[in-house]
Amino acid sequence: MLDVDYSHDSENSKLVSFCFCPNSLWLTVYLVVCGWPRAEWEAIQTEDFDTEDCIRFLVETEALQHVDAAVPLDQILFIVAGIHGAL
């Protein structure tokens, strides 16, 4: 799922989110892909990717085309209403 209207979107980066639902717990991961040109991420903005398709596209297509691209992990947030069982 590609997100629109976030401040991390720029001429050379895109904020991407993934939603996982392990064991009835919603987990959303936000990644900023640095080194992904706007012309390319805007071209696929209308695609309806599910989580698996989006990850596959980033790994198998974009990573090969932009070997200097990076996903800095400077912030990790877990926001949930409640956790039942192990995370």
Side-chain angles (χ1 to χ4, degrees):
M1 167 191 326
L2 299 178
D3 295 306
V4 184
D5 297 330
Y6 283 93
S7 62
H8 293 288
D9 292 354
S10 73
E11 291 304 313
N12 204 34
S13 67
K14 176 66 180 151
L15 180 74
V16 181
S17 72
F18 306 102
C19 294
F20 300 93
C21 188
N23 304 320
S24 301
L25 171 70
W26 280 94
L27 177 62
T28 302
V29 178
Y30 293 94
L31 304 173
V32 178
V33 181
C34 299
W36 189 8
R38 177 182 292 272
E40 292 185 23
W41 61 256
E42 280 185 340
I44 64 164
Q45 193 72 43
T46 59
E47 298 290 329
D48 187 23
F49 289 118
D50 64 13
T51 298
E52 187 176 324
D53 291 336
C54 190
I55 293 171
R56 184 179 300 115
F57 177 80
L58 290 173
V59 170
E60 296 177 0
T61 303
E62 289 304 314
L64 297 176
Q65 292 178 7
H66 305 287
V67 295
D68 292 331
V71 178
L73 296 176
D74 55 336
Q75 221 180 87
I76 299 174
L77 302 171
F78 294 98
I79 303 171
V80 296
I83 297 175
H84 304 285
L87 177 62

